[in-house]
Amino acid sequence: MNSIYRLMFAAGVCLSLTQCGSDYLNVSSPANTDDAFVTSTATETFKTLSWCYGNYRQNVGGGGNYNWEDAISDVEYYPENDSPNDVIGTLHPEKATIAGKQTQFNALFETLARAKRVADILDSKSEYLSARDAGILNDWTQLYGEATVMRALCYFQLCLHFGDVPYGIENTVVDSYSLTSRYDIYDAILADLERVQPLMYSLGEGGITAERFSRTFACGLAGKIAMHAAGYQTLRSDVSGLYGDLSFEKIGNEANGCFYGRRSDYKAYLEIAERNFDLALGEAKGTLRLVTADDRSYSDNPYQLAYQYIYDMQISPESLFEVGCIEGQQSELGYSQGRPSDGGGSNAAPCKVFAGIRIAPTAYYSLYEAGDKRADANMAVTGSDGKGNEAMLSFEAGSRLKGGISTNKWDVNRMNPPYVAKQRVSGMNYQPLRISDVILLSAEAKAQLGKESDALVLLNQIRSRAFGDGSHAVSASGSVLLDAIWKERARELLGEGEARWDMIRSGKFHVRAAALKADMAALKRDLKAKGWHDFGNGRVMPAYIWIKNVELANPLVFDAVAGDPAQTPGWRGVYNYSTIEAVAGKVTGTAHNIAIQGLDRYIDPDGSEAAALEADGYVKTDWGAGLVADNAINDDLFLGGWKDGDAPRYFHPIPFETLNQSKGNVTNGYGLPQE
């Protein structure tokens, strides 16, 4: 795995097609590298294009959703109080600095400009033109498609994170420029994607894996862009004529120079989405597949297995695209979005895991139904102490073992073996788009287009995998069906940043944000008043739990074992770091696991059960009590900047240099800074 990215890493630094630097928006692109050299063969051309992949990985994809503050929703939050890292995530644009995401903004434009230059060069080469005109699929048409998809992806992410941006001026000389409506950008890149996808290999064809763009990904990306174009979003009302004569269905108040709405003709985009999703899951599917069986002798969780490929440095069969990383050089996936560790920055068991995405306690106790295999695989109540032992998480504000319940999808303990030399370079690939995301988006599109029976088939395909049988199938219609799909997406994609976008796109942001605030308030009231909160589903969050260290033959825990407090919840424990020579000396003790009593039920601290547990070596430990302590994570982390009725303001500021060079034509909206 990742051999293609070793080539990119080596070649990317020396191959340039556009002017580097911060003034790329108003200078020409001189194409300093000779055309005959960089495109003499398909292999040489790919080396040129590899710069785009490398720059995207290093300066856009690095850190994943943690870098973009996407994963703050009604089920996820950031764990540090009053941090500059989450001001947009918590919906406080007034606290943002204008350079907050300058690196990502500039890198997206640099990448798309170079990708466009590659496509333009190919569009004049006889090898490409003859194949295209003859309807022949080959490496030249594939490369042209890849370059075009890269440009589309970058423009989509610019719109997603910055709103309306300048468009179409790359590789040209301009005296000034202005904002372009995001809808005009969406229309242009959707047309590009539909034009080039027949020129590309599907996954598995022509040697193309998910570490490169394929026809499969081009179709999936087009569908996702169309879903965003069809959905509700926060739009500017302070720039006259920006959206032309479009009409919108609006929700809530118009304030801060913006409103929350969707296009009145949104269904045209749903039809584009449906068409492309059908291709991605059908004709253009290639080797893409949903993992529905687990052949491991020690577990029965195909959902977790789909992620285990990432830990094992293999490409997941569920990935439409993976940002390829190299162990020791890239990927802070395990660090920024993983299961926490208090270890040091290097040579630890395991190294530090900051864990910038946490799971709302209301989601931990109420999101999943009993028997859902995704619950334990997605959420963790324990982390690692960095000395080879499992440790409880706490609700004290902070990072690592502080900050609350964490994601469990990217646990460095699941690597074989874990990378222990240094933090933030695990080598695990980022996974921007996978099949279950596409399946559920397709279900959503079909439901809104009135094809409810087709939507139910797709929805229940995901639920069947989650439970291991067909007995949990949903039967619903209308708004109930759509709500079921959005909830399923939260369960399936928890921790991946999608719940935030679903809240926005669906038009349910106000409802879901208000419900989160009310649910958290009720939880805290009960914990203070009674010492426990009943979620009404058979699960209770108590103020206290009882824990003790125990020794297991294998300290890495898999599926939950009923009745065993050291293996319920499942999918926790720690890797046996004593077997890794480099850090074996850092491991302390032999009782590496934690047995937990009372995690989802109330045990009276003054009762006989508590006394018996303490006599057996268990220690009373803060759990819900930590959520209401003075040093706890605060309410502002749960979308605190949103005011009831107003549009959610979730965009990042366009950097000052771009504003300045536009000669006043480009400004920041939504209450974001101008300088």
Side-chain angles (χ1 to χ4, degrees):
M1 179 183 176
N2 299 327
S3 60
I4 217 158
Y5 278 85
R6 295 183 188 278
L7 170 65
M8 291 178 184
F9 187 82
V13 287
C14 63
L15 297 171
S16 174
L17 286 175
T18 60
Q19 176 70 37
C20 291
S22 58
D23 56 349
Y24 53 87
L25 277 176
N26 70 346
V27 299
S28 62
S29 300
N32 293 323
T33 308
D34 180 68
D35 179 17
F37 171 72
V38 298
T39 63
S40 58
T41 66
T43 299
E44 291 298 328
T45 304
F46 178 69
K47 288 180 183 178
T48 302
L49 187 60
S50 73
W51 185 94
C52 297
Y53 281 104
N55 198 47
Y56 182 88
R57 176 196 63 233
Q58 199 70 20
N59 294 312
V60 180
N65 294 321
Y66 160 78
N67 248 11
W68 284 106
E69 306 174 37
D70 292 349
I72 300 181
S73 66
D74 58 343
V75 293
E76 304 136 334
Y77 66 95
Y78 183 84
E80 294 181 312
N81 293 342
D82 305 315
S83 170
N85 292 328
D86 68 345
V87 293
I88 298 301
T90 53
L91 305 176
H92 282 291
E94 72 280 359
K95 296 182 180 180
T97 61
I98 197 163
K101 291 295 180 284
Q102 179 172 296
T103 296
Q104 289 87 345
F105 182 89
N106 289 351
L108 284 165
F109 267 112
E110 290 167 350
T111 303
L112 71 87
R114 297 189 186 199
K116 179 62 162 58
R117 184 71 178 118
V118 172
D120 287 346
I121 291 172
L122 288 173
D123 204 23
S124 64
K125 287 190 73 69
S126 60
E127 294 94 331
Y128 163 70
L129 293 172
S130 60
R132 183 200 66 185
D133 293 345
I136 297 172
L137 179 63
N138 65 14
D139 289 353
W140 291 106
T141 63
Q142 165 66 25
L143 287 166
Y144 181 83
E146 282 183 82
T148 304
V149 171
M150 179 66 78
R151 180 176 181 269
L153 173 63
C154 291
Y155 267 124
F156 171 52
Q157 295 204 329
L158 282 163
C159 292
L160 205 59
H161 298 295
F162 299 96
D164 310 287
V165 297
Y167 174 78
I169 58 173
E170 61 269 18
N171 306 321
T172 61
V173 176
V174 292
D175 294 325
S176 65
Y177 47 84
S178 60
L179 293 174
T180 301
S181 162
R182 71 194 70 172
Y183 294 107
D184 290 343
I185 297 174
Y186 287 153
D187 288 346
I189 60 179
L190 283 170
D192 282 344
L193 289 169
E194 294 203 297
R195 173 174 57 85
V196 302
Q197 59 92 354
L199 304 175
M200 303 177 71
Y201 295 122
S202 296
L203 281 172
E205 296 178 346
I208 297 298
T209 72
E211 286 186 325
R212 286 176 64 178
F213 297 145
S214 62
R215 183 187 183 196
T216 318
F217 176 68
C219 294
L221 176 62
K224 194 158 193 173
I225 292 170
M227 291 300 289
H228 278 268
Y232 286 89
Q233 49 200 290
T234 297
L235 297 147
R236 295 183 67 165
S237 58
D238 62 336
V239 181
S240 179
L242 179 59
Y243 306 118
D245 58 0
L246 295 180
S247 63
F248 297 94
E249 300 173 2
K250 299 180 182 181
I251 297 175
N253 307 323
E254 184 172 320
N256 304 298
C258 58
F259 64 93
Y260 182 47
R262 70 175 173 188
R263 286 178 58 155
S264 300
D265 60 352
Y266 69 96
K267 286 190 177 181
Y269 286 110
L270 293 177
E271 291 169 352
I272 295 172
E274 181 190 31
R275 178 170 69 246
N276 280 279
F277 290 144
D278 284 350
L279 284 168
L281 298 172
E283 178 184 321
K285 185 176 183 179
T287 55
L288 181 70
R289 66 180 176 88
L290 188 72
V291 176
T292 57
D294 187 350
D295 59 1
R296 296 173 292 184
S297 61
Y298 51 84
S299 68
D300 180 21
N301 195 324
Y303 176 81
Q304 194 282 332
L305 177 59
Y307 286 94
Q308 190 63 45
Y309 287 94
I310 304 296
Y311 297 128
D312 293 344
M313 302 297 169
Q314 300 173 18
I315 297 173
S316 173
E318 295 201 349
S319 297
L320 283 81
F321 174 54
E322 293 184 10
V323 178
C325 297
I326 305 170
E327 190 174 75
Q329 293 183 357
Q330 296 101 19
S331 182
E332 61 169 47
L333 181 62
Y335 172 88
S336 68
Q337 294 163 256
R339 183 172 167 233
S341 172
D342 257 3
S346 60
N347 298 313
C351 295
K352 173 185 173 182
V353 175
F354 179 93
I357 299 176
R358 302 300 172 109
I359 307 303
T362 49
Y364 181 82
Y365 282 94
S366 67
L367 182 62
Y368 291 94
E369 302 160 63
D372 193 325
K373 297 176 185 292
R374 297 170 296 190
D376 289 350
N378 278 348
M379 308 181 294
V381 296
T382 66
S384 306
D385 69 354
K387 301 174 182 178
N389 302 294
E390 187 175 21
M392 284 300 303
L393 304 180
S394 78
F395 287 101
E396 181 180 348
S399 63
R400 298 181 285 183
L401 293 179
K402 299 176 182 179
I405 298 164
S406 80
T407 59
N408 202 24
K409 277 177 173 165
W410 303 281
D411 177 6
V412 293
N413 288 287
R414 300 283 158 196
M415 299 180 73
N416 190 24
Y419 185 76
V420 297
K422 188 178 179 181
Q423 66 184 23
R424 308 182 90 152
V425 288
S426 67
M428 288 190 285
N429 280 1
Y430 306 129
Q431 212 177 2
L433 187 61
R434 59 190 184 87
I435 189 171
S436 56
D437 189 359
V438 171
I439 289 171
L440 289 170
L441 282 174
S442 181
E444 181 184 339
K446 289 179 185 297
Q448 292 193 69
L449 290 170
K451 301 177 182 179
E452 294 184 338
S453 59
D454 293 338
L456 284 167
V457 169
L458 292 166
L459 170 60
N460 288 324
Q461 183 180 2
I462 296 300
R463 288 183 62 80
S464 177
R465 194 265 291 269
F467 291 95
D469 57 49
S471 63
H472 292 80
V474 169
S475 179
S477 62
S479 62
V480 176
L481 173 57
L482 280 170
D483 286 341
I485 292 170
W486 289 319
K487 178 159 280 190
E488 205 64 39
R489 285 182 56 77
R491 297 179 182 121
E492 182 76 12
L493 303 167
L494 188 68
E496 299 180 44
E498 292 299 323
R500 165 71 148 242
W501 299 117
D502 289 349
M503 287 178 70
I504 295 164
R505 286 189 308 100
S506 65
K508 299 290 185 179
F509 188 92
H510 298 72
V511 174
R512 289 173 63 169
L516 170 67
K517 291 173 180 286
D519 291 347
M520 285 296 298
L523 171 61
K524 288 189 173 185
R525 280 196 305 269
D526 279 355
L527 287 169
K528 287 180 179 178
K530 302 187 296 185
W532 52 273
H533 176 79
D534 189 343
F535 283 87
N537 58 358
R539 304 193 75 197
V540 167
M541 184 177 189
Y544 303 102
I545 56 175
W546 279 257
I547 66 172
K548 73 173 179 178
N549 290 93
V550 296
E551 186 171 344
L552 298 180
N554 181 0
L556 193 60
V557 173
F558 301 97
D559 291 331
V561 177
D564 186 342
Q567 299 188 78
T568 302
W571 294 98
R572 53 186 180 96
V574 289
Y575 187 85
N576 185 359
Y577 289 95
S578 298
T579 64
I580 302 178
E581 183 177 355
V583 295
K586 303 287 182 74
V587 176
T588 61
T590 58
H592 302 307
N593 294 83
I594 290 180
I596 309 172
Q597 297 278 8
L599 185 66
D600 57 5
R601 62 188 180 90
Y602 176 71
I603 297 175
D604 183 353
D606 299 318
S608 58
E609 183 178 4
L613 287 169
E614 289 167 13
D616 192 30
Y618 282 88
V619 177
K620 177 186 172 186
T621 303
D622 282 1
W623 185 237
L627 192 60
V628 294
D630 290 341
N631 58 0
I633 54 172
N634 65 37
D635 291 339
D636 194 54
L637 298 180
F638 299 90
L639 305 174
W642 174 70
K643 295 180 180 178
D644 190 18
D646 287 355
R649 296 181 292 154
Y650 50 87
F651 292 112
H652 296 282
I654 296 172
F656 174 75
E657 187 174 52
T658 301
L659 306 187
N660 186 50
Q661 291 177 175
S662 76
K663 300 181 180 179
N665 293 323
V666 175
T667 60
N668 278 317
Y670 322 107
L672 290 165
Q674 304 295 338
E675 58 184 37

